[in-house]
Amino acid sequence: MNRKASLSSRFILVLVGIVLFTASSILVVNWLGTIDHAKRQVSNELKVGIDVFQQSYKQREQTLLTTAKVLSSDFGFKRAVATGDSLTIASALANHSQRINANLMGLLDLSGNVEVMSLNGEQADVSKMKDKAPLNLELLFQQGYIADVIERDGKLYQSIYIPIEAPNPIAIAWIGFLLDQTFVNQLASLTGLGVTLMQVGLTQNNEFLLSSLTSKLVANAVASVGADVSMARNLMFGHGQFMSESIQLGSNGSTNIVLSANISELIAGFRLTTLQTLAIAGLEVILAMILGIRLTTRTVQPLIELRDAATSVADGDYQTDIKPSGNTTELIDLASSFSRMQYNIQQREKHIRYQAEHDALTGLNNRARITTIIEEQIKNDEFFQVITFCLNDFREINETFGFAIGDKCTTAVADILRISAGSAARISGGEFIWLPTQKQSDDDLIALAKRLENAVREDDLEINTDISVGVAHYPTHANSAEELLRRAGIAVHTAKLLEVPVKTFHPKQEQTYIRRLEILNELKRLLSSERNELAMYYQPKMHTASGEVSRFEALIRWNSASLGFVSPELFIPIAEKAGIIMQITEWVIRRVVMDISAWNMSNIKVAINLSVYDLTSPTLLDYTLQTLEEYSLPTSVLSFEVTESGIMEETERAVSELHRWRQAGFNLSIDDFGTGHSSLAYVKTLPVNELKIDKSFVLQLVEQPEDRVIVQAIKDLAAKFGLEVVAEGVENEESLALLRSYDVEWIQGYHISRPLPPDDVIAWCDSFKAKQRKPLLT
Ligand code: C2E
Ligand code: CA
Ligand code: CA
């Protein structure tokens, strides 16, 4: 049976198999029984038949013998034989034969030659019988008579020979019954068997045969002598099957009588039973098939239904009601297991889909999901806004307060966006997307950003974060989800750069953004390679009163092989935002220390610009001290400038870091002073010794009376706090004169010198001093 055969075909096969097995067992048992019975019955019939035959044959022999004895003791006959009175002999023979209806009566001489013969009461022509009778004369005289079957003229005779003695033998009498068709038929009706008389090999025809059976059956009957009936191949359907016994007649062994019992009739009963059994089996097979099909529908059909249900579950259809048509407990259990499985799969899939589409922390949509939502919205082909909110200091919040607080901030923003009308998503650490259902104005967005910022403000920690907002419009700015998200991102990036709360995308931003990306990538590559594209330039600061030049500001230069000259005003803020400023600062410090060491000038002091991010590093101060030590230089050769806006933004930690630098012996300046709107009272608390008036107040000092007022005011207040003042951006003699008149201590600007490469510094100093002696300034 095929392993993959369906359950229903197996059912049917098993049922049909059982039926066929039962039927054939019945048939075999029946067959064996029938054969056995038939054999016993037939052999019994045969035995009886043989007895009957032998009795009747013996009786005939006895009759012949009696007649022969009477004849041989008939005195008249003996005398006639002795005298050769042939007439008397003939009449005596005729008389005696008539009495018993013998067919043959004859007289033979002592050598066995027939002398007189009467056949059926008629005188036979003895001259034709030239051959000697095949008679054993010795046996005849010894026994007194001989009984045998004798063939004469193509006929068989049951014969008796008896000697005629007077008192010595003088002749032999022969008397016989013809063994003919009548004999055979009589015997057949007497025994109820088929009777065949046959002699083989003695006549010219080579065969003598008489039978009560029709010529068709005779061969079967004769052939079945000694055969095993049960093995007969065509027993079942053939006709005229016999069991036969052969009895030898006469002395020569070639004459036999075959008695045959026909078993076909006995078998016919079995044949009927077989046909009936087969018919019943056939019916049962049909019944089994019907039953099989019914069982299939009862048992297998519900399984098929469950299978179909499982298939539809596999195809993602979880709505199918699983109720198989069967009502057995097993099926009901199975169905409920299926339903449970279906439910569980559905739940799990829901869960997986939820996870695939949502941000694990906030439960808002994730980037993939919001992308899909935008794509769907694009199909409506109507205006909508993609808005990005960016928690600007997310990285610092995580670094400073730990991830738990960072997560709290994110969740706070998410909670508000979730209940705002539209779709919201969190796409990265501190970046959120909102697709409002209603168009939002800049004012609306500023108000919302304020709400978000307030939500972030942790009660205990007072986190002052600010949130920038970027807006992209469909279809004006892009017509794919990916581009809309990217451009809203560029817009928020620009808002951050420009330090405005909201920015709507503009193509120009993209150029700036791309340029910034290029710069950042190039810078990162530069820092991780040995390439020598960075250099330090030094701009002198002149002491106003003495005209001495012993202080410089170190300014970084980047001549990029691929981007050309990149201004520090461009790449420093990028490096700060990308968190790689520290690496640059460390490089600057080492380079400056090396240059100072090379110049070997007395009294020199070089100011290095520190980014406010540098002040968050606890190791930079140590690094600086260690580098100075390497070159055996005192702390007095370096000073540091930190922008006012940087300090204003900073937390207490940065200010306490400044204290450490001051305590280490470094001079500190507040750079770009006047742009950060810090109160002088606050500046007083900082550990600095110098203010650098921003160049925006100095460049047009001559033209702008307000600038002059501001510069004077700064100088007056600085003097009160004991701080020195540096004016940068001095481009002309007039400005210089004004600043000198305000007693500003230090002057820095193109009027004195542009920033110089390190190799030019010594030469420049020498030539500057030479010019001083000529007095340049009057
Ligand atoms: P800053 O600290 O205010 O530096 C002074 C800037 O003014 C320099 O620009 C200098 O070249 C320029 N300057 C000097 N005199 C004049 C003048 O008479 N007229 C005009 N118009 N400009 C003058 P630079 O070198 O392009 O640097 C720009 C800014 O980049 C610096 O402003 C500073 O904030 C930053 N920076 C430069 N080098 C470094 C550095 O090594 N580290 C850090 N953190 N920042 C640096
Ligand atoms: Ca500076
Ligand atoms: Ca400055």
Side-chain angles (χ1 to χ4, degrees):
M1 201 191 287
N2 182 353
R3 275 160 174 271
K4 282 187 180 169
S6 72
L7 196 52
S8 55
S9 60
R10 279 186 191 200
F11 253 135
I12 293 170
L13 269 172
V14 166
L15 284 173
V16 168
I18 289 170
V19 167
L20 291 181
F21 176 75
T22 312
S24 46
S25 324
I26 289 170
L27 285 176
V28 168
V29 170
N30 196 1
W31 169 244
L32 292 175
T34 307
I35 286 292
D36 189 51
H37 171 75
K39 261 193 193 169
R40 265 187 288 120
Q41 180 151 342
V42 165
S43 54
N44 214 36
E45 270 176 38
L46 280 175
K47 216 181 336 96
V48 172
I50 290 165
D51 276 357
V52 170
F53 164 74
Q54 276 171 341
Q55 274 176 32
S56 92
Y57 193 75
K58 263 263 154 352
Q59 201 184 329
R60 282 165 62 116
E61 199 178 274
Q62 207 54 53
T63 309
L64 288 174
L65 192 60
T66 310
T67 308
K69 279 184 175 162
V70 171
L71 180 69
S72 66
S73 54
D74 183 336
F75 186 72
F77 178 67
K78 277 196 224 176
R79 195 181 48 203
V81 173
T83 57
D85 178 356
S86 52
L87 264 175
T88 311
I89 291 170
S91 82
L93 288 178
N95 280 344
H96 282 279
S97 66
Q98 267 165 15
R99 240 192 11 238
I100 58 160
N101 279 328
N103 303 88
L104 178 147
M105 205 71 165
L107 193 70
L108 285 74
D109 62 19
L110 285 176
S111 17
N113 296 319
V114 180
E115 287 183 337
V116 185
M117 170 81 87
S118 150
L119 286 173
N120 294 318
E122 304 238 338
Q123 199 66 33
D125 183 0
V126 184
S127 62
K128 282 180 189 164
M129 303 174 189
K130 283 203 176 106
D131 49 327
K132 272 186 180 174
L135 201 57
N136 187 340
L137 293 173
E138 217 174 299
L139 186 71
L140 175 67
F141 294 122
Q142 193 187 316
Q143 242 182 214
Y145 75 96
I146 279 180
D148 205 348
V149 176
I150 302 297
E151 193 248 41
R152 273 280 171 249
D153 296 339
K155 287 178 177 158
L156 287 178
Y157 297 92
Q158 182 183 6
S159 307
I160 286 286
Y161 296 94
I162 194 163
I164 297 171
E165 292 158 330
N168 289 327
I170 49 172
I172 298 162
W174 175 19
I175 184 161
F177 287 130
L178 184 65
L179 294 177
D180 59 355
Q181 189 63 45
T182 319
F183 164 73
V184 167
N185 290 348
Q186 273 173 357
L187 199 58
S189 68
L190 199 65
T191 56
L193 299 170
V195 178
T196 307
L197 179 66
M198 56 191 290
Q199 189 190 47
V200 183
L202 287 186
T203 61
Q204 280 89 351
N205 299 334
N206 218 19
E207 188 158 305
F208 174 92
L209 201 135
L210 284 174
S211 180
S212 66
L213 298 168
T214 60
S215 54
K216 271 188 192 168
L217 298 177
V218 174
N220 278 357
V222 172
S224 67
V225 175
D228 185 357
V229 168
S230 56
M231 291 297 126
R233 199 167 53 82
N234 54 349
L235 194 61
M236 180 105 77
F237 301 107
H239 288 278
Q241 298 302 313
F242 297 94
M243 244 179 111
S244 304
E245 290 264 340
S246 171
I247 304 157
Q248 191 186 320
L249 295 183
S251 59
N252 60 29
S254 61
T255 310
N256 291 297
I257 189 124
V258 176
L259 298 177
S260 307
N262 192 337
I263 54 171
S264 297
E265 276 137 47
L266 287 167
I267 300 295
F270 168 77
R271 208 180 293 144
L272 186 66
T273 320
T274 305
L275 288 174
Q276 282 167 345
T277 311
L278 285 177
I280 290 167
L283 278 174
E284 280 175 353
V285 164
I286 293 166
L287 236 121
M289 287 170 92
I290 293 168
L291 206 73
I293 289 162
R294 284 212 55 191
L295 267 176
T296 300
T297 27
R298 284 268 194 91
T299 317
V300 179
Q301 189 55 35
L303 290 179
I304 290 172
E305 285 164 15
L306 285 177
R307 180 200 63 195
D308 292 346
T311 309
S312 57
V313 170
D315 292 344
D317 170 15
Y318 303 117
Q319 303 316 311
T320 321
D321 193 16
I322 300 179
K323 248 192 210 132
S325 47
N327 55 3
T328 58
T329 46
E330 290 88 345
L331 278 172
I332 290 164
D333 283 355
L334 191 59
S336 75
S337 296
F338 258 75
S339 298
R340 214 164 37 242
M341 180 189 81
Q342 185 187 42
Y343 177 78
N344 288 343
I345 291 176
Q346 186 180 11
Q347 290 307 310
R348 223 164 295 149
E349 197 184 282
K350 260 191 197 165
H351 184 65
I352 290 168
R353 185 173 298 159
Y354 182 87
Q355 283 184 325
E357 292 178 344
H358 292 82
D359 169 46
L361 174 64
T362 61
L364 289 183
N365 296 308
N366 61 13
R367 177 186 281 275
R369 179 67 191 138
I370 199 73
T371 306
T372 313
I373 294 173
I374 295 172
E375 276 163 2
E376 273 157 19
Q377 205 151 325
I378 286 172
K379 285 181 193 151
N380 299 338
D381 205 17
E382 280 168 17
F383 172 88
F384 66 90
Q385 293 168 303
V386 175
I387 296 165
T388 304
F389 293 94
C390 184
L391 250 169
N392 287 337
D393 312 305
F394 187 66
R395 202 180 62 213
E396 286 71 39
I397 292 172
N398 272 332
E399 280 171 6
T400 315
F401 302 105
F403 287 104
I405 301 297
D407 288 354
K408 261 191 176 177
C409 296
T410 325
T411 318
V413 172
D415 287 344
I416 292 177
L417 287 182
R418 194 189 343 252
I419 53 169
S420 308
S423 306
R426 177 175 176 238
I427 58 170
S428 72
E431 272 199 321
F432 298 85
I433 298 291
W434 183 39
L435 305 181
T437 35
Q438 298 265 305
K439 190 184 173 183
Q440 303 288 307
S441 68
D442 280 8
D443 288 343
D444 295 336
L445 290 172
I446 289 167
L448 180 54
K450 274 273 158 297
R451 275 180 64 206
L452 297 176
E453 284 168 6
N454 290 338
V456 166
R457 200 156 291 150
E458 267 270 330
D459 291 338
D460 316 334
L461 291 161
E462 272 290 313
I463 295 172
N464 275 313
T465 179
D466 72 330
I467 286 178
S468 304
V469 185
V471 185
H473 293 163
Y474 174 85
T476 340
H477 297 144
N479 50 18
S480 78
E482 208 49 53
E483 276 301 286
L484 280 167
L485 284 172
R486 205 173 70 82
R487 294 191 163 177
I490 291 172
V492 81
H493 189 81
T494 312
K496 250 193 279 185
L497 270 184
L498 303 178
E499 295 180 345
V500 295
V502 182
K503 203 73 198 165
T504 298
F505 176 77
H506 188 278
K508 269 190 195 156
Q509 293 169 7
E510 192 153 19
Q511 291 160 16
T512 317
Y513 180 78
I514 289 168
R515 176 74 181 164
R516 289 177 60 87
L517 265 187
E518 279 174 355
I519 289 171
L520 180 59
N521 288 337
E522 205 48 37
L523 204 53
K524 279 182 178 167
R525 221 173 298 155
L526 180 67
L527 290 172
S528 61
S529 76
E530 294 287 290
R531 265 150 59 194
N532 204 6
E533 292 182 356
L534 293 174
M536 291 313 293
Y537 272 50
Y538 297 90
Q539 190 175 32
K541 295 177 189 170
M542 186 187 77
H543 191 245
T544 324
S546 64
E548 248 180 73
V549 181
S550 57
R551 295 192 180 185
F552 297 84
E553 180 179 6
L555 295 161
I556 195 165
R557 294 290 173 263
W558 178 21
N559 211 345
S560 162
S562 58
L563 301 172
F565 178 80
V566 186
S567 160
E569 273 172 319
L570 196 55
F571 76 82
I572 291 292
I574 294 173
E576 285 175 344
K577 293 258 149 65
I580 54 173
I581 185 66
M582 199 91 71
Q583 284 169 267
I584 294 175
T585 307
E586 287 185 354
W587 180 87
V588 167
I589 289 167
R590 177 161 292 270
R591 182 73 254 164
V592 169
V593 169
M594 283 161 72
D595 287 340
I596 294 172
S597 173
W599 294 327
N600 197 19
M601 276 166 71
S602 61
N603 223 6
I604 192 166
K605 198 183 271 294
V606 177
I608 291 175
N609 291 284
L610 276 190
S611 156
V612 71
Y613 296 97
D614 291 327
L615 290 178
T616 59
S617 158
T619 57
L620 190 66
L621 174 58
D622 291 342
Y623 176 83
T624 310
L625 294 171
Q626 205 181 308
T627 313
L628 282 170
E629 212 178 288
E630 271 179 51
Y631 289 86
S632 308
L633 290 170
T635 48
S636 61
V637 297
L638 292 182
S639 71
F640 294 92
E641 300 181 6
V642 185
T643 61
E644 183 195 10
S645 54
I647 295 175
M648 294 303 292
E649 276 169 16
E650 255 332 295
T651 52
E652 279 168 31
R653 224 180 81 185
V655 175
S656 73
E657 189 65 20
L658 268 186
H659 278 280
R660 286 184 62 216
W661 286 77
R662 183 78 192 94
Q663 275 156 21
F666 294 115
N667 273 7
L668 300 175
S669 327
I670 298 183
D671 204 353
D672 300 345
F673 192 79
T675 55
H677 313 290
S678 58
S679 74
L680 275 170
Y682 175 65
V683 170
K684 202 190 123 194
T685 66
L686 295 172
V688 295
N689 5 45
E690 192 180 80
L691 292 183
K692 285 189 81 174
I693 303 173
D694 191 66
K695 61 177 178 280
S696 59
F697 304 111
V698 179
L699 288 169
Q700 276 127 12
L701 198 62
V702 182
E703 297 87 353
Q704 301 280 349
E706 305 85 23
D707 288 351
R708 294 200 288 272
V709 174
I710 291 169
V711 171
Q712 272 182 287
I714 291 172
K715 168 59 197 158
D716 288 351
L717 284 165
K720 276 187 190 149
F721 296 140
L723 302 172
E724 289 193 330
V725 173
V726 183
E728 62 177 7
V730 180
E731 292 190 342
N732 50 56
E733 187 59 44
E734 291 80 4
S735 303
L736 174 62
L738 278 172
L739 292 164
R740 180 175 283 151
S741 72
Y742 304 148
D743 288 333
V744 168
E745 284 89 353
W746 298 93
I747 302 293
Q748 180 186 353
Y750 295 167
H751 182 62
I752 309 300
S753 170
R754 290 191 173 254
L756 302 161
D759 293 349
D760 293 358
V761 167
I762 302 280
W764 180 87
C765 283
D766 291 347
S767 79
F768 188 75
K769 273 179 202 158
K771 272 191 239 164
Q772 289 286 82
R773 265 179 245 121
K774 277 182 204 161
L776 164 89
L777 320 159
T778 41

